[in-house]
Amino acid sequence: MRETEFSASGVRIERWARSLTRAGCVVVKDGRVALLTSNGREIDSAPVGAVSVGRGWLPAADSAIARLNGVRYRLTMGQRSRARDGAAPARRLLDVLRSAGVGGS
């Protein structure tokens, strides 16, 4: 089993204008991307190769737009998910998915 390539907690996950969770989790592990609620229930998941990802709508917010199974999600990352080097979580997510060959927006 491979180690987790990316994990961020405290993520606000929205589908269109509807908030699905304010403290969710985004995990990239074993070739899959999973969006989870704060209690670990799966919102959606898809193979890394089937996910498209891009920058968020608001330049000031640390957010990304991900499309899983044809559904567009806005992922707004929390400050507590910052890397030790200060890298923003949305930027790290984009880097991990793009290095895996995921199409970007």
Side-chain angles (χ1 to χ4, degrees):
M1 184 185 240
R2 292 172 29 184
E3 77 177 55
T4 303
E5 298 155 22
F6 177 85
S7 179
S9 58
V11 179
R12 181 180 187 102
I13 301 173
E14 298 170 294
R15 188 172 78 202
W16 188 242
R18 181 177 168 219
S19 178
L20 301 176
T21 182
R22 292 183 297 165
C25 187
V26 177
V27 178
V28 179
K29 183 177 181 178
D30 295 331
R32 290 191 69 80
V33 177
L35 306 178
L36 308 171
T37 64
S38 58
N39 62 3
R41 186 179 56 86
E42 184 176 289
I43 295 170
D44 204 347
S45 71
V48 169
V51 175
S52 65
V53 66
R55 306 258 328 152
W57 298 316
L58 302 173
D62 186 21
S63 64
I65 305 300
R67 187 177 296 270
L68 285 78
N69 301 316
V71 179
R72 188 173 66 185
Y73 296 95
R74 179 176 178 204
L75 312 172
T76 305
M77 311 292 180
Q79 290 293 319
R80 66 181 176 192
S81 296
R82 284 195 177 271
R84 292 177 194 255
D85 63 2
R91 168 50 72 199
R92 289 187 293 130
L93 174 63
L94 290 169
D95 292 343
V96 165
L97 293 176
R98 287 186 179 145
S99 70
V102 171
S105 305

